[in-house]
Amino acid sequence: MIDIFSNPFFLAAIFILPGLIYVETRIPIFISETISNSIISQGEIYHYDDLDSDGHVELIRTKRNANGQAALVIEKNSKILRQINLLGEYAENSTRITFGDYNSDGIKEIFTLTHINAKIWLHYINIFDSINSEIFIDSVWLKNGEYDFSASFYDFIDMNGDGSKELLLHINGGFSVYPRKIYYYDIKKDSLVKSSTVGSKISINQIADIDNDSHPEVLINSRAVDNMMGKYNLPFPDDHSWIVALDDKLQFKFPPVEGGGVYTHTELYYVSLEKGKMLFSSHYSNSREKVIKPRNILLKKLSRQGHTELENEISIKDLDIKMNLLNENQFLIFEQDQIYTIDTLLQKHKFIKNKNLNKLTPHFSHLYKSGAYYVFSSKATNQCYFGDHGFNHIVPINANKSISSISQCDSINGNPHFAVQTGNELTHFIVKKNPNYVFRIGYYAGAYLLLLLFIMLIQWIQRKQTEKKHQLEKEMGRLQFASLKNQLDPHFTMNVLNSISTYVLKNSPDAAYNYIVRFSRMIHSTLKQSDVFVRSLQEEVNFVTDYLELQKLRFKGMLEYEIKISRELDPEIEIPKLLIQSHVENAIKHGLQSREGKGKIRIEVEKYHKQIRISISDNGIGRKAAGQMGTTGTGKGLATMQKYYDIFHTFTGRKIRQEIEDLFDKAGNPSGTMVVIRVEVSEKHL
């Protein structure tokens, strides 16, 4: 583990990882680029769509003509194809126009709403076949001689199963109350289907087959705005919000169920979660006044008949929230700087996938879908953003939050191209890959290599410093050792010289020469190896042999020795210098020198597991008798040898263990001493 964690490649990866994560979450994959920014005529709204499926969009402008009536202008490549003047005016606060290929023939028709006084009309236009027809939708009640209503298109859905799509829309009266209905226009049959009248404000939330009968149901948003104030005799009044689902004929799927009280908003959803599809409703306050528990959302799991099976109240931080069904698997709650989803137990959880969106702190006060893309605004930043379908990649665009229209135009060099209208300002922008994001891998690799080189440099400097320290310690140990062991015993030297001189005086030149050679070899070995503290086993044995031969000369035949080396041992294996000789010297000095009769020393070296076992035994007087005679010394010799062993272990990593055993004869009398030394063997000699 130490090797892994100290590896420079691992350390560089660990140190760069936080920075990589930080940069990765802040470098956008896409960036927006404004192509043009222009001011258009007041009251005009620009829409772009590919009406004839030729791969290029047409511009459809909605405006008022010189007579103050609604008009459409269709352009392509900056040329006017057609202008259509309509009866009536565009309704304020209403969706003016939508496009759809209801019969899948590759041609999109134009649908728009106007009103003539209190009558609302739907216009159906095919600019390529010069078809322009109108159908009466409904009449609006007046309030103090005036009318106020809002209308919005939803989508093209095959409601009756005839293979053609019908256009769904809703109309909501304001203080004039009526109508508050859902409609769909059967284009193929040129007929209109209306929902039952309700008092609550309603709009389409979702189309889903909740009972698996292959016929779609319409799930409703209901708002308790309290405009009726008890003055109108309409069912399901707007002092409550209601849980409402309509069948494919826009009749109640089940009797509406009270959702919440005044100023609440109830929405109905059909969502696929981890345990299957679930019908549930939510209701919450949409006003900061006259509400109970204004910071909670009540979620209810419902049966297909609208009965409550489970409910849970979850807290929220702000009343200005947005709930959105991105697809049938993703129901999201957008609240201040966080996004939540819910589980089958109606508990909310953070939607981690949208971390890029969270940092923008969006309030989805506007959310426009264009194909696989969204454009939305953030209340917190007063900025508009482009996002893909899953909100994985968020790009700010140069437009404020008061969006009038959003359209996708012809792509430019393969980059998505959008037009966003905010008031009377029209902004064209493209979304393209961020070049810095593309090359970020190179940036990361460069940063990693620089960090790696820096760490390797630091480790190299540390290693050099450690080696230098080690060399100094080694040199100190060598000098210590040299001071401890590099001198022959002066008494031994004098005795040897005296013995040699005796042979010279007795005219025994051969014997004198033999001993002089041995003594000179010992001196030469001592001088030659004065700066090392290890030598081969063979060199140590040769040195001890010369030493014992000279000691035999000194003791005049009263000393015998035997050296036995195992053939399993490599003679070149290194052991501490003078390791055997030091103990032989002690045996002679403290054991044999005071003994009467012939002294014997036996040296045996053998392999023992992963060690060299060296035994040195003598037939001397023993340690107890030597102590009584005062020949055991001060004990500094053993301390010196232990220090010697410690130095050897420091610089070779091999331990030395030593044991001293007193020997006794059969009668229990002291018969000598044996020293056993165990030296660990290096890997190459195992």
Side-chain angles (χ1 to χ4, degrees):
M1 292 298 293
I2 292 175
D3 290 341
I4 293 174
F5 289 127
S6 61
N7 186 287
F9 293 93
F10 178 80
L11 290 174
I14 290 297
F15 284 125
I16 203 171
L17 187 60
L20 187 148
I21 294 173
Y22 178 85
V23 173
E24 190 71 15
T25 57
R26 283 160 176 78
I27 296 181
I29 298 178
F30 299 98
I31 57 174
S32 67
E33 181 179 305
T34 301
I35 300 174
S36 65
N37 200 313
S38 57
I39 303 299
I40 61 178
S41 300
Q42 194 70 35
E44 289 192 0
I45 297 180
Y46 280 48
H47 309 269
Y48 293 86
D49 211 310
D50 185 5
L51 300 178
D52 55 2
S53 301
D54 66 348
H56 300 285
V57 298
E58 285 78 29
L59 166 62
I60 303 95
R61 293 188 286 124
T62 60
K63 66 171 190 174
R64 291 182 176 87
N65 59 22
N67 297 322
Q69 294 182 319
L72 299 175
V73 178
I74 298 93
E75 299 181 14
K76 190 161 190 173
N77 299 324
S78 301
K79 294 182 179 180
I80 296 178
L81 299 180
R82 188 175 175 186
Q83 175 167 331
I84 303 171
N85 295 311
L86 305 173
L87 295 176
E89 304 175 41
Y90 293 119
E92 298 293 334
N93 303 317
S94 297
T95 303
R96 291 188 178 184
I97 196 169
T98 191
F99 314 94
D101 182 8
Y102 78 96
N103 57 3
S104 302
D105 64 352
I107 302 298
K108 288 185 179 180
E109 288 75 27
I110 302 173
F111 299 85
T112 185
L113 289 171
T114 64
H115 69 94
I116 303 174
N117 296 325
K119 296 183 180 294
I120 302 172
W121 293 82
L122 174 65
H123 301 266
Y124 161 56
I125 303 164
N126 186 324
I127 65 169
F128 303 102
D129 292 339
S130 299
I131 298 174
N132 185 1
S133 61
E134 300 89 20
I135 182 171
F136 172 68
I137 300 295
D138 220 326
S139 295
V140 179
W141 287 357
L142 300 180
K143 175 71 173 181
N144 298 325
E146 298 181 355
Y147 57 86
D148 66 310
F149 71 94
S150 63
S152 181
F153 297 108
Y154 178 74
D155 205 350
F156 293 85
I157 306 291
D158 185 2
M159 295 295 294
N160 54 23
D162 65 352
S164 294
K165 297 176 182 178
E166 286 72 51
L167 173 61
L168 279 90
L169 64 148
H170 67 258
I171 300 176
N172 275 301
F175 285 100
S176 57
V177 177
Y178 183 87
R180 293 175 177 173
K181 292 183 180 182
I182 307 298
Y183 308 81
Y184 72 74
Y185 174 48
D186 188 336
I187 308 162
K188 184 177 181 179
K189 297 178 181 178
D190 193 25
S191 62
L192 186 71
V193 178
K194 303 180 182 182
S195 69
S196 301
T197 298
V198 296
S200 174
K201 271 194 171 184
I202 59 174
S203 59
I204 301 171
N205 188 47
Q206 184 186 359
I207 306 295
D209 182 8
I210 65 174
D211 54 7
N212 298 319
D213 64 351
S214 300
H215 296 287
E217 279 76 41
V218 182
L219 309 185
I220 299 299
N221 290 336
S222 171
R223 290 191 296 154
V225 294
D226 201 25
N227 293 154
M228 295 173 62
M229 300 179 182
K231 298 179 180 179
Y232 302 94
N233 186 23
L234 294 176
F236 314 112
D238 64 1
D239 58 353
H240 280 79
S241 58
W242 301 85
I243 300 173
V244 181
L246 306 176
D247 62 18
D248 56 325
K249 297 179 178 57
L250 300 187
Q251 301 302 306
F252 294 129
K253 186 68 177 178
F254 49 79
V257 179
E258 286 188 9
V262 65
Y263 302 114
T264 60
H265 194 157
T266 294
E267 301 177 354
L268 190 60
Y269 296 93
Y270 190 55
V271 182
S272 293
L273 298 176
E274 64 272 15
K275 294 183 180 179
K277 293 188 176 182
M278 179 181 73
L279 183 68
F280 78 94
S281 70
S282 65
H283 79 257
Y284 57 96
S285 168
N286 56 17
S287 172
R288 297 183 182 274
E289 300 176 354
K290 303 179 182 179
V291 290
I292 300 174
K293 297 181 180 179
R295 297 187 181 274
N296 291 337
I297 300 177
L298 181 63
L299 301 175
K300 292 184 178 182
K301 181 180 178 181
L302 306 171
S303 69
R304 291 183 175 86
Q305 291 73 40
H307 300 140
T308 300
E309 296 180 343
L310 176 69
E311 66 178 49
N312 182 45
E313 199 167 43
I314 62 174
S315 62
I316 58 174
K317 300 175 184 176
D318 199 327
L319 294 175
D320 189 7
I321 65 170
K322 179 72 177 180
M323 291 187 284
N324 194 274
L325 190 69
L326 296 182
N327 54 54
E328 67 174 12
N329 298 311
Q330 289 182 327
F331 170 78
L332 302 180
I333 302 174
F334 301 91
E335 178 193 352
Q336 288 189 348
D337 58 351
Q338 184 59 57
I339 301 175
Y340 299 95
T341 186
I342 63 165
D343 60 19
T344 52
L345 297 178
L346 306 180
Q347 302 289 334
K348 72 174 183 177
H349 303 279
K350 288 184 178 180
F351 192 59
I352 306 300
K353 183 179 180 181
N354 286 330
K355 58 183 181 297
N356 292 331
L357 182 59
N358 295 342
K359 67 186 180 187
L360 301 175
T361 61
H363 280 192
F364 278 62
S365 51
H366 298 84
L367 180 63
Y368 290 83
K369 180 180 178 182
S370 176
Y373 307 98
Y374 288 95
V375 172
F376 60 92
S377 61
S378 166
K379 184 177 180 180
T381 62
N382 197 30
Q383 174 71 48
C384 289
Y385 299 92
F386 160 86
D388 62 5
H389 200 191
F391 291 100
N392 297 307
H393 309 297
I394 307 300
V395 179
I397 59 176
N398 184 25
N400 61 41
K401 68 178 183 178
S402 57
I403 299 175
S404 303
S405 71
I406 167 69
S407 303
Q408 187 167 358
C409 305
D410 296 342
S411 63
I412 299 177
N413 298 325
N415 298 313
H417 171 201
F418 296 88
V420 176
Q421 182 178 343
T422 56
N424 65 335
E425 184 176 358
L426 184 67
T427 301
H428 283 262
F429 70 95
I430 61 172
V431 177
K432 60 182 182 180
K433 287 188 176 180
N434 184 356
N436 292 326
Y437 188 86
V438 174
F439 293 113
R440 78 194 191 287
I441 302 301
Y443 301 150
Y444 298 154
Y448 176 78
L449 289 175
L450 287 175
L451 186 58
L452 176 63
L453 291 174
F454 178 74
I455 292 174
M456 292 178 71
L457 177 62
I458 295 297
Q459 289 187 339
W460 180 82
I461 293 173
Q462 289 178 333
R463 188 163 54 250
K464 287 298 181 182
Q465 291 177 337
T466 302
E467 289 176 357
K468 185 176 181 181
K469 181 180 179 182
H470 183 72
Q471 288 296 331
L472 289 173
E473 291 176 347
K474 188 174 182 179
E475 182 65 15
M476 290 176 63
R478 186 188 64 77
L479 294 174
Q480 281 182 308
F481 174 76
S483 67
L484 292 172
K485 300 299 295 178
N486 278 343
Q487 295 181 5
L488 290 174
D489 186 344
H491 295 289
F492 166 75
T493 302
M494 293 302 298
N495 289 331
V496 169
L497 291 175
N498 287 333
S499 297
I500 293 173
S501 65
T502 300
Y503 276 101
V504 172
L505 291 174
K506 289 182 177 181
N507 199 23
S508 299
D510 291 340
Y513 176 77
N514 180 46
Y515 289 120
I516 289 172
V517 169
R518 289 183 182 276
F519 186 60
S520 66
R521 270 205 310 255
M522 290 183 66
I523 294 174
H524 179 265
S525 176
T526 301
L527 294 174
K528 180 182 177 181
Q529 298 178 341
S530 62
D531 59 344
V532 299
F533 59 90
V534 294
R535 63 184 169 193
S536 69
L537 175 62
Q538 187 63 57
E539 288 174 326
E540 178 71 9
V541 170
N542 292 340
F543 188 87
V544 170
T545 301
D546 288 336
Y547 176 77
L548 286 170
E549 285 294 325
L550 292 172
Q551 288 287 22
K552 283 177 66 176
L553 172 64
R554 173 189 171 193
F555 285 102
K556 298 180 172 55
M558 297 302 292
L559 175 65
E560 293 181 357
Y561 69 91
E562 179 185 3
I563 300 177
K564 184 179 180 180
I565 308 297
S566 173
R567 293 184 178 181
E568 292 183 326
L569 288 173
D570 182 357
E572 296 302 316
I573 190 169
E574 291 182 338
I575 63 172
K577 185 176 71 172
L578 301 178
L579 175 65
I580 300 176
Q581 189 273 340
S582 298
H583 289 285
V584 170
E585 183 179 337
N586 283 338
I588 293 172
K589 183 176 181 180
H590 303 298
L592 300 179
Q593 187 169 267
S594 302
R595 184 186 186 282
E596 295 181 0
K598 184 175 288 189
K600 295 181 180 180
I601 290 179
R602 177 180 173 82
I603 301 170
E604 186 173 359
V605 184
E606 60 184 348
K607 190 174 182 180
Y608 182 78
H609 298 300
K610 295 182 179 182
Q611 299 173 338
I612 299 174
R613 184 180 183 276
I614 303 171
S615 64
I616 304 162
S617 60
D618 64 70
N619 65 341
I621 62 176
R623 289 190 296 172
K624 183 177 180 181
Q628 292 173 351
M629 297 177 64
T631 64
T632 57
T634 62
K636 290 183 178 179
L638 291 177
T640 300
M641 289 305 297
Q642 186 58 52
K643 188 173 184 180
Y644 182 34
Y645 297 159
D646 292 340
I647 294 172
F648 179 79
H649 176 252
T650 300
F651 295 106
T652 67
R654 295 159 58 194
K655 292 182 179 179
I656 298 177
R657 294 175 176 83
Q658 174 182 291
E659 299 173 1
I660 301 177
E661 180 182 353
D662 294 315
L663 303 178
F664 300 91
D665 60 17
K666 293 181 180 180
N669 298 315
S671 61
T673 306
M674 183 170 66
V675 178
V676 178
I677 306 165
R678 292 183 175 88
V679 183
E680 290 183 351
V681 182
S682 61
E683 292 291 333
K684 66 179 181 179
H685 294 291
L686 286 176

